[in-house]
């Protein structure tokens, strides 16, 4: 049973698990997915890539940023059966660039497959946004379901 | 009007001449027509009352002569102007091969007076001139005046600066009408402002870029938009592009042949400024979190952008939170050198955002093929010329910019009593903020017996806990004193603040609350802190964590507004102080659409505002909307995340559940496997970063605030939320604040957080 007390202007409520079992009747305003003010996920509502997404870490802004953008854009817009199969050149260019900066993009695994695998391993130790590590699953889910922003805009922004 | 005046000046002699002739003729006529040959005391001519025909002839002769005289004068003036123009062109062509340094220092002094004089004059002429290739006499006159003024003020730079304003005006006006019709615009301008425009447009681009944005602010919107579009256009030399773009599309063609000239002048500058780029399309003042976030944002949005960060610290951009948390928990004895810390998922990382190889060297700034971020360390910006779009460094070099971000952060405040206490006390006091402060404090803490932290806020409490842990190994006495009743007294409601203080004490810290320092003395190799209530504390070293003073040094020279309530530069909801100047991070007092005007000193805010400023610098025009959060950990079982306005003076409603052993920062971290919390939600991870030797048992006492949610309410609307030992729920909290709704029962709102679950 929950109990509650008042200490001056502050109110304190203690609740048990049962108290919180009934669904909440608090109303939240529905989110507008096209709200220009909101931070967007990896894929913008118009289908383009949001290069400023924190999930990309510093991939789009580093010394190999332009190569990365080319490779990833090619992949994103690829309509081949094996997605990105025509983008081998761009990926190779990116890989060559990244090899010039081993400190920034440590070579840990084969990078031919997807940009996300690269951004994962490449950016995890050093090349992050203002805070460290990324979740491994997020970028790959971005690849898998690129039409859908990862979970909700806020968690991915 | 002025044109009329100058024109009249030229024509006045003529007018006078002809008028006297007329007058004389009239009088003569009068005389002639006068039936009475009365003597008239007016003008006498040799021709008397008689000889009318002769008079007519003389009259005609005189008028004719006057006319011819006027015509010859006009022709001479025009020819003279042309000659002067040619001479000027020749002078300017020879100028770029000379060193530019003597030009630059003189330029600001000159410019200060130049724009004043030159601007009002050319302004009126600028409007009509593009429209019609005005009669040479008219244009020549003001042109000559401008030139005369310019000549007075000495060197090339001065005339360059006077001319771009008039150049800019007609260019901008022309460009807004006939955006792509550059060839058409160029000849029009050429004709109209012949002696004035062509020279600067073809002159060394850097100097021209200086004053380009000078005149029109409203019409500056199209040029900056064009600027950002033009920048991606690949050119050999980056800076001639923005200079050209800023000068308006019509002028794009002439500067293009100038890249060699530009490169030449840049290369010819003296060794002192050889390393410092003379122009940066994006200039970021300050090298902290906000600045780095902005740099990243700019690079992501503006491909090939070159961003220059100028910082007075000797270090590359780094993050601050680990300096008072993780770095202290590191087992590595060389941590002060490596500055690497272990996140709770075991992954190690450096506090530097990026290793040095990420950045472009300042020497290569201008030639970077795909752009990049360059960092100028140990250089302080001392003066900002907003009209001239340039800044001056402490070594007197100047850097001009197109867009500027001020992210100067702040300086730790000191206690007056400490400042007055003398050098011995000051030597033993640390104001903690930078890497060097961490290094020195770390060293000091190993060699002394007792340390006192003055201040009970985030920094003070975190440092106290970090040092308190060391005390268990080293026998260091850690004292924390503050005027409030408990730790985080200004943030947490009283009951929670008291609970937190108990926790801090458990970390090995001697907490002295309600302590106001009266004086500090140095005696017998010890510091004596006298409190106002009579207590005396003896210690070896003091850490003052009593707040941050936002750094607004540039406000005076730049003419920027400083907020009197919160401190910092006053900016609008889009973080803009003035056109082309944005402010982000600790130094920005901004308008939050939801919560009102505020200034936030947290890490995530620096990231969010820096990113937003970067977006707006590349044309986004977005207001501050994504609410930043902050977090703190005080020991292994007190960790919280907070968002919005969290001020203990507001009424609060707290909803708590009993904590189990699973609900601690360490557990949350291990489960989700991440490092610092703030990017957790953006990158779908959340955790605390506190090391703990053993998981402490949940505190068993009557009022156990193990975990819960605390709402801060203002006028019935939730404006702040603390998630107390509840993690990974920040998006819900953010949503509630964003909605800004009045909720009747906050317990119902608390249900949304599922506090009983993990």
């Amino acid at each position: 049973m929950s109990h509650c007390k008042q200490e001056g202007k502050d109110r304190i409520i203690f609740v048990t698990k049962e108290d919180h079992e009934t669904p909440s009747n608090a109303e939240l305003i529905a989110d507008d997915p096209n709200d220009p003010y909101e931070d967007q996920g990896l894929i913008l509502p118009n289908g383009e890539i949001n290069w400023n997404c924190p999930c990309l870490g510093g991939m789009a802004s580093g010394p190999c940023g332009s190569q990365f953008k080319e490779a990833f854009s090619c992949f994103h817009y690829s309509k081949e059966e094996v997605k990105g199969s025509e983008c081998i050149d761009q990926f190779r260019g990116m890989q060559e660039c990244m090899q010039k900066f081993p400190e920034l993009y440590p070579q840990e695994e084969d990078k031919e497959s997807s940009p996300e695998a690269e951004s994962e391993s490449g950016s995890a130790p050093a090349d992050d946004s203002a805070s460290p590590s990324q979740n491994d699953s997020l970028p790959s889910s971005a690849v898998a379901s690129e039409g859908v922003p990862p979970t909700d805009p806020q968690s991915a922004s | 009007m002025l044109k009329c005046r100058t024109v009249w000046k030229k024509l006045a002699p003529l007018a006078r001449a002809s008028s006297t002739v007329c007058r004389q003729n009239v009088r003569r006529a009068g005389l002639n027509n006068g039936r009475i040959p009365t003597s008239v005391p007016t003008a006498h001519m040799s021709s008397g009352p008689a000889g009318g025909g002769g008079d007519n002839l003389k009259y005609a002769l005189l008028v004719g002569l006057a006319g011819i005289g006027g015509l010859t004068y006009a022709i001479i003036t025009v020819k003279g102007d042309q000659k002067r123009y040619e001479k000027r062109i020749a002078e300017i062509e020879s100028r770029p091969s000379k060193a530019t340094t003597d030009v630059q220092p003189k330029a600001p002094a000159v410019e200060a007076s130049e724009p004043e004089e030159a601007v009002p004059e050319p302004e009126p002429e600028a409007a009509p001139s593009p429209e019609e290739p005005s009669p040479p006499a008219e244009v020549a006159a003001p042109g000559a005046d401008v030139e005369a003024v310019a000549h007075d003020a000495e060197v090339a730079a001065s005339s360059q600066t006077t001319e771009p304003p008039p150049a800019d005006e007609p260019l901008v006006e022309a460009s807004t009408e006939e955006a792509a019709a550059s060839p058409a615009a160029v000849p029009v301008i050429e004709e109209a402002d012949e002696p004035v425009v062509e020279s600067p447009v073809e002159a060394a681009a850097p100097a021209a870029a200086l004053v380009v944005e000078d005149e029109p602010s409203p019409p500056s919107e199209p040029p900056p938009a064009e600027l950002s579009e033009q920048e991606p256009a690949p050119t050999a030399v980056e800076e001639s592009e923005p200079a050209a773009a800023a000068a308006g599309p019509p002028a794009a063609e002439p500067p293009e042949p100038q890249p060699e000239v530009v490169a030449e002048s840049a290369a010819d500058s003296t060794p002192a400024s050889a390393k410092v780029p003379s122009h940066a399309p994006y200039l970021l003042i300050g090298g902290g979190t906000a600045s780095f976030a902005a740099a990243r944002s700019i690079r992501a949005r503006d491909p090939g952008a070159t961003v220059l960060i100028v910082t007075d610290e000797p270090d590359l951009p780094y993050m601050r939170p680990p300096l008072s948390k993780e770095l202290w928990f590191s087992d590595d004895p060389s941590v002060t050198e490596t500055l690497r810390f272990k996140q709770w998922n075991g992954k190690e990382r450096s506090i530097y955002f990026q290793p040095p190889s990420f950045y472009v060297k300042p020497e290569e700034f201008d030639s970077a093929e795909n752009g990049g971020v360059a960092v100028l360390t140990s250089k302080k910006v001392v003066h900002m010329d907003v009209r001239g779009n340039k800044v001056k460094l402490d070594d007197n070099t100047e850097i001009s910019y197109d867009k500027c971000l001020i992210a100067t952060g702040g300086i730790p405040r000191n206690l007056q009593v400490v400042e007055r206490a003398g050098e011995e006390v000051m030597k033993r006091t640390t104001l903690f903020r930078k890497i060097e402060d961490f290094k020195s404090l770390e060293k000091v803490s190993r060699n002394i017996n007792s340390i006192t932290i003055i201040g009970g806020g985030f920094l003070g409490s975190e440092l106290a806990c970090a040092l308190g842990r060391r005390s268990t190994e080293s026998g260091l006495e850690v004292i924390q004193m503050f005027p409030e009743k408990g730790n985080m007294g200004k943030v947490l409601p009283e009951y929670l603040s008291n609970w937190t203080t108990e926790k801090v004490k458990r970390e090995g810290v001697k907490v002295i609350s309600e302590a106001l320092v009266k004086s500090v003395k140095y005696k017998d190799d010890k510091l004596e802190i006298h409190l106002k209530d009579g207590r005396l504390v003896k210690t070896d070293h003091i850490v003052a964590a009593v707040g941050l003073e936002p750094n607004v040094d540039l406000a005076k020279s730049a003419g920027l507004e400083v907020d009197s309530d919160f401190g910092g530069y006053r900016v609008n909801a889009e973080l803009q102080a003035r056109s082309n100047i944005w402010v982000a991070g600790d130094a920005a007092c901004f308008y939050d659409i939801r919560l009102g005007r505020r200034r936030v000193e947290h890490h995530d805010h620096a990231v969010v505002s820096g990113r937003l400023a970067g977006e707006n610098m590349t044309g986004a025009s977005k207001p501050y909307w994504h609410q930043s959060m902050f977090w703190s950990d005080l020991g292994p079982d007190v960790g919280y995340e907070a968002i919005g306005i969290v001020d203990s003076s507001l009424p609060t409603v707290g909803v708590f559940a009993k904590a189990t052993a699973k609900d601690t920062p360490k557990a949350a971290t291990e489960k989700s496997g991440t490092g610092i919390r703030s990017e957790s939600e953006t990158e779908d991870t959340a955790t605390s970063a506190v090391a703990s030797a053993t998981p402490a048992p949940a505190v068993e006492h009557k009022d156990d605030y193990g975990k819960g949610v605390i709402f801060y309410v203002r006028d019935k609307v939730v404006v702040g939320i603390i998630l107390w030992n509840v993690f990974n729920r920040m998006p819900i909290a953010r949503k509630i604040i964003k909605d800004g709704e009045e909720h009747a029962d906050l317990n119902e709102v608390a249900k949304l957080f599922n506090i009983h679950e993990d």
Side-chain angles (χ1 to χ4, degrees), chain B residues 542-610:
Chain B
I542 292 177
V543 178
V546 294
L548 189 78
E549 188 65 47
N551 182 344
V552 290
D553 289 345
L554 291 172
K556 190 134 188 263
S557 59
L560 298 175
E561 198 178 356
V562 173
D563 191 88
S564 40
D565 297 319
F566 302 99
Y569 296 96
R570 197 177 271 179
V571 295
N572 63 12
E574 295 172 13
L575 304 184
Q576 198 176 28
R578 284 178 67 162
S579 29
N580 302 327
I581 302 179
W582 286 261
V583 187
D586 292 353
C589 174
F590 64 100
Y591 184 70
D592 183 331
I593 297 181
R594 265 278 162 257
L595 302 176
R597 185 157 281 277
R598 48 201 286 240
R599 189 173 66 83
V600 179
E601 288 174 6
H602 293 298
H603 174 87
D604 191 44
H605 168 75
V607 174
V608 168
S609 64

Side-chain angles (χ1 to χ4, degrees), chain A residues 8 10 12 33 41 50 55 57-58 68-69 75 77 80 82 84 87 98-99 102-103 110 119 126 130 137 148 153 156:
Chain A
D10 305 315
I12 309 166
N50 177 16
C55 59
F68 170 76
K69 283 187 193 173
F75 177 85
Y77 291 111
E80 300 291 317
V82 178
C87 307
M98 287 183 175
Q99 278 164 350
E103 226 186 351
D110 184 27
S119 63
S137 63
V148 178

Side-chain angles (χ1 to χ4, degrees), chain B residues 28 55 138 151 183 215 315 356 418 432 655 659 677 681 689 751:
Chain B
R28 241 180 293 121
D55 282 340
E138 270 196 28
H151 274 301
E215 264 310 308
D315 302 295
V418 170
F432 195 88
V655 181
R677 274 218 279 294
E681 34 170 5
K751 280 188 190 173

Side-chain angles (χ1 to χ4, degrees), chain B residues 452-572:
Chain B
T452 300
I453 295 154
I454 304 180
F458 292 103
L459 184 63
S461 307
E462 283 170 6
L463 279 175
C465 286
L467 287 165
R469 298 178 115 254
R470 287 210 166 181
S471 72
T472 51
E473 304 140 24
S474 60
L476 171 72
E477 183 197 32
V478 182
I479 304 162
Q480 188 185 6
M481 60 169 68
F482 42 81
E484 296 88 28
K485 277 202 193 152
N487 283 88
M488 320 299 302
K490 290 198 182 150
V491 174
L492 300 176
E494 198 176 319
Y495 62 92
L496 226 44
S497 163
N498 293 338
W499 197 82
T500 309
T501 312
E502 292 304 309
K503 290 286 172 204
V504 172
K505 285 181 184 166
R506 225 160 295 219
E507 285 297 308
V509 181
K510 277 203 192 96
V511 177
I512 304 176
S513 53
E514 296 179 287
L516 282 160
V517 180
K518 192 169 82 174
S519 69
V520 183
K521 291 193 190 54
Y522 175 67
K523 199 161 128 187
D524 300 330
D525 203 33
K526 278 262 189 202
L527 292 176
E528 288 190 350
I529 305 173
H530 295 263
L531 300 177
K532 281 208 172 126
D533 58 5
R535 286 179 284 184
L536 173 66
V537 175
K538 288 201 189 153
T539 187
D540 294 321
H541 197 90
I542 292 177
V543 178
V546 294
L548 189 78
E549 188 65 47
N551 182 344
V552 290
D553 289 345
L554 291 172
K556 190 134 188 263
S557 59
L560 298 175
E561 198 178 356
V562 173
D563 191 88
S564 40
D565 297 319
F566 302 99
Y569 296 96
R570 197 177 271 179
V571 295
N572 63 12

Side-chain angles (χ1 to χ4, degrees), chain B residues 667-725:
Chain B
T669 323
E670 283 171 344
K671 191 164 170 277
S672 44
T674 55
I676 285 192
R677 274 218 279 294
S678 83
E679 288 294 319
S680 66
E681 34 170 5
T682 62
E683 298 173 26
D684 209 27
T685 56
T687 174
S688 90
V690 174
S692 81
T694 53
V699 173
E700 296 291 346
H701 75 283
K702 196 166 162 258
D703 287 336
D704 179 25
Y705 306 107
K707 56 179 186 166
V709 185
I710 303 116
F711 300 98
Y712 289 71
V713 183
R714 185 174 71 185
D715 300 330
K716 297 200 202 142
V717 174
V718 174
V719 293
I721 297 176
I722 287 188
L723 299 173
W724 189 257
N725 267 344

Side-chain angles (χ1 to χ4, degrees), chain A:
Chain A
M1 214 30 234
S2 66
H3 67 278
C4 131
K5 59 177 181 165
Q6 188 87 21
E7 285 199 16
K9 60 171 175 60
D10 305 315
R11 195 152 152 251
I12 309 166
I13 307 170
F14 288 94
V15 290
T16 61
K17 196 163 174 179
E18 294 71 40
D19 293 327
H20 268 200
E21 259 170 4
T22 53
S24 170
N25 61 11
E27 284 171 17
L28 296 177
I29 301 173
D31 270 335
D32 173 14
N34 292 323
D35 189 350
Y37 285 2
E38 281 294 335
D39 274 6
Q40 305 289 351
L42 180 63
I43 309 296
L44 297 169
N46 61 4
E48 283 176 10
I49 302 170
N50 177 16
W51 297 115
N52 207 9
C53 179
C55 59
L56 287 177
M59 293 299 289
S61 57
C64 299
S66 50
Q67 285 90 342
F68 170 76
K69 283 187 193 173
E70 274 171 29
F72 194 31
S73 298
C74 172
F75 177 85
H76 176 64
Y77 291 111
S78 160
K79 304 250 182 305
E80 300 291 317
E81 207 175 288
V82 178
K83 200 163 167 68
S85 49
E86 77 273 28
C87 307
I88 295 295
D89 287 331
Q90 284 92 332
F91 279 111
R92 194 173 298 126
M94 180 171 77
Q95 196 176 358
E96 279 167 13
C97 177
M98 287 183 175
Q99 278 164 350
K100 288 190 233 157
F101 301 94
E103 226 186 351
L104 281 174
Y105 309 104
Q107 312 281 320
E108 277 174 42
E109 50 172 89
D110 184 27
K111 296 189 199 317
E112 286 289 322
S113 45
S114 75
E116 268 55 47
E118 279 157 346
S119 63
E120 253 173 71
S121 54
S123 47
D127 185 19
D128 283 336
S129 63
S131 277
S133 53
Q134 306 173 5
N135 187 358
D136 291 352
S137 63
L138 176 64
S140 23
S141 71
V143 175
S145 58
E146 44 184 314
V148 178
T151 55
D152 75 279
Q154 276 142 355
S155 65
S157 59

Side-chain angles (χ1 to χ4, degrees), chain B residues 49-121:
Chain B
D55 282 340
N56 271 346
L57 178 64
K58 280 186 193 114
Y59 173 62
L61 247 169
L62 273 157
V63 170
L65 277 169
I68 294 167
L71 212 60
T72 18
Y73 179 76
I75 295 171
I76 289 170
T77 316
V78 171
K79 282 247 167 72
D81 270 339
Q82 267 202 336
K83 277 206 205 99
R84 244 174 304 167
Y85 161 62
E86 255 132 56
K87 240 189 1 188
R88 171 67 55 74
I89 290 291
E91 204 193 321
I92 286 170
E93 309 257 88
S94 64
R95 207 185 305 128
S97 49
K98 287 191 240 148
T100 53
T101 44
D102 27 317
V103 171
Q104 280 179 337
K106 290 179 193 141
V110 169
E111 260 173 40
S113 51
E114 275 319 303
E116 262 97 88
E117 298 173 280
V119 160
E121 279 204 356

Side-chain angles (χ1 to χ4, degrees), chain B residues 177-306:
Chain B
E177 273 117 59
E178 23 178 9
S182 357
V186 169
V188 167
I189 294 157
E190 257 184 88
E191 270 183 277
D193 290 333
E194 195 171 308
V196 173
V197 171
E198 279 301 287
S199 31
V201 165
E202 285 172 11
L210 293 187
V211 202
V212 154
E213 295 296 317
D214 193 346
E215 264 310 308
S217 322
S220 74
E221 293 320 308
E226 285 149 20
L227 180 145
S228 51
E229 278 154 39
Q230 290 222 352
E231 280 196 332
T235 46
V237 178
E238 217 83 20
E239 56 183 35
S240 66
E241 264 299 307
E253 278 92 77
E256 240 134 62
Q258 296 312 306
E260 309 88 58
V261 175
V262 169
E264 228 184 297
S265 56
D268 282 342
S269 43
T270 57
S273 56
K275 271 194 177 179
V276 179
S278 54
H279 175 80
Y282 297 97
L283 177 70
L284 311 185
I285 303 177
T289 308
S291 196
F292 184 79
R296 181 170 271 180
S297 191
I298 293 169
R299 288 275 301 151
R301 288 174 53 91
D302 182 358
T306 42

